[in-house]
Amino acid sequence: MSKKIVLSGARPTGEIHLGNYFGALHNWVKLQDDYDCHFFIADWHAMTTGYEDTSQLGDYVTSLMADFIACGLDPEKATIFLQSEVMEHAELFLLFAMNTPLSWLERCPTYKDQLNQLKEKDITTYGFLGYPCLQAADILIYNADFVPVGEDQLPHLELTREIARRFNHLYQPIFSEPQPLLTETKVLPGTDGRKMSKSYGNTISFADTPEVVAKKVMSMLTDPARIRKDDPGHPEVCSVFSFHKVFSAFEIEHIETQCRRGEIGCVACKRKLQKRLLAFHQPIHEKRTELLQDKAGLRQVLRQGSEKAGLKAKATLKAAKRAMRIDY
Ligand code: TRP
Ligand code: SF4
């Protein structure tokens, strides 16, 4: 039996941080063995909100590829590629753009949300409005069965299914409707307790050196009600504790009890985390640093992935044009 097809993408917007890793990437790594996986760097998507300054995009593409591989994605197992190196995405996007009603795009909840949130940028552009159409092309061009995405992307996936249905109805049924793959994710807050995000400056990334990581751990926000180290603590409000849930799962009850009874001080508790976090972080950091010594090599591997993806994309595009009777 052939493996089911999985596809997902990530925007090259800078270094991968632990929030990205535990939110998505570590699941991608797990999926590689059981599915025919396609993972891509969505550089055109990055331009839908970051069109003004594109000067760093190339570097971000290369460093994301380094992060991918350092975190365990394997180009021998999964097809890892760059969106803009598979031109067929653009052509299918154009064809979808012809028959996607404007109202579908305008009513997309993430569209309205982002317009409100990204006030400092002018994203009242055609590209930003049409981005779910591009995403539909990304997914349908590989006939993906499953798309591992976060909750925030569910409306886009629903739109993808609607676009597939509309195409199948207007022309011929060639697209299958992809399903979301809601994998278990571990939520790591930022060092200040808010959501980990580059814009809050509260991330721990694989580009950070072990020294920087060690410092960031020591400066993490803990229970503000604890003044002396034998004060009873409230782990539920402490970001160090959220990290322990991921890195010290085997003794989490012990840490919780010690904290509540005031039997462990925050400094000692952070030291414990430091050790475990670094044991996880350091090998990935080193691998990434080593990979980035040979940027041309990384880009070469990415290009090979794009060529492989291109074969499939070409075949689907051809079928779509035949279904539309525009294969003249
Ligand atoms: N929109 C996704 C994001 O912003 C990236 C993305 C683009 C994607 N195309 C995709 C994800 C296709 C899954 C499938 O993170
Ligand atoms: Fe947080 Fe640990 Fe301090 Fe408790 S002891 S508040 S879990 S850092």
Side-chain angles (χ1 to χ4, degrees), residues 9-245:
R11 295 172 178 225
T13 51
E15 305 136 0
I16 287 270
H17 55 66
L18 296 183
N20 305 135
Y21 177 83
F22 286 105
L25 199 47
H26 94 125
N27 276 319
W28 293 11
V29 173
K30 285 197 250 165
L31 295 168
Q32 293 180 111
D33 291 310
D34 300 328
Y35 296 92
D36 177 7
C37 286
H38 299 68
F39 299 123
F40 74 103
I41 299 180
D43 52 343
W44 284 334
H45 281 267
M47 279 185 244
T48 58
T49 50
Y51 59 87
E52 280 181 336
D53 183 6
T54 48
S55 60
Q56 282 182 290
L57 207 49
D59 287 340
Y60 287 167
V61 166
T62 314
S63 77
L64 184 54
M65 185 60 178
D67 279 325
F68 274 0
I69 295 178
C71 287
L73 288 191
D74 182 351
E76 301 282 324
K77 291 183 187 165
T79 307
I80 305 172
F81 65 96
L82 179 60
Q83 185 180 31
S84 65
E85 280 177 349
V86 187
M87 229 54 76
E88 287 75 14
H89 288 230
E91 193 171 342
L92 189 60
F93 162 60
L94 178 138
L95 297 177
F96 287 157
M98 298 304 167
N99 55 47
T100 303
L102 207 47
S103 60
W104 290 9
L105 299 167
E106 283 166 342
R107 69 156 196 238
C108 187
T110 49
Y111 177 65
K112 294 182 220 154
D113 279 1
Q114 296 252 55
L115 279 188
N116 282 325
Q117 271 171 31
L118 298 176
K119 281 247 157 58
E120 72 281 12
K121 288 184 196 165
D122 181 5
I123 50 170
T124 57
T125 57
Y126 172 57
F128 184 66
L129 176 70
Y131 135 35
C133 242
L134 177 59
Q135 185 159 352
D138 299 335
I139 297 169
L140 298 176
I141 208 160
Y142 300 103
N143 266 307
D145 297 296
F146 295 109
V147 183
V149 286
E151 299 261 338
D152 60 315
Q153 293 284 319
L154 288 180
H156 294 157
L157 202 57
E158 186 50 45
L159 249 171
T160 294
R161 284 198 294 272
E162 282 174 308
I163 289 172
R165 275 200 292 273
R166 185 166 170 93
F167 185 102
N168 291 346
H169 169 76
L170 285 172
Y171 312 110
Q172 279 173 36
I174 67 160
F175 292 115
S176 47
E177 293 180 31
Q179 299 302 318
L181 197 61
L182 290 170
T183 40
E184 175 224 351
T185 55
K186 298 176 185 159
V187 183
L188 271 190
T191 50
D192 60 358
R194 291 187 287 177
K195 181 180 161 44
M196 191 181 284
S197 158
K198 218 172 99 175
S199 52
Y200 292 152
N202 62 1
T203 63
I204 293 180
S205 92
F206 292 116
D208 291 337
T209 61
E211 295 73 36
V212 168
V213 175
K215 272 200 200 117
K216 285 185 175 175
V217 171
M218 291 323 281
S219 67
M220 276 171 81
L221 212 71
T222 63
D223 175 3
R226 282 194 99 185
I227 316 275
R228 268 166 288 123
K229 80 171 191 238
D230 48 2
D231 287 341
H234 306 86
E236 62 280 1
V237 300
C238 171
S239 40
V240 175
F241 189 72
S242 305
F243 273 62
H244 272 307
K245 280 191 199 153

Side-chain angles (χ1 to χ4, degrees), residues 1-2 7 15 17 44 65 144 194 207 246 269 281 312 327:
M1 219 178 74
S2 65
L7 175 129
E15 305 136 0
H17 55 66
W44 284 334
M65 185 60 178
R194 291 187 287 177
V246 173
C269 189
H281 176 276
K312 249 185 157 175
D327 54 337

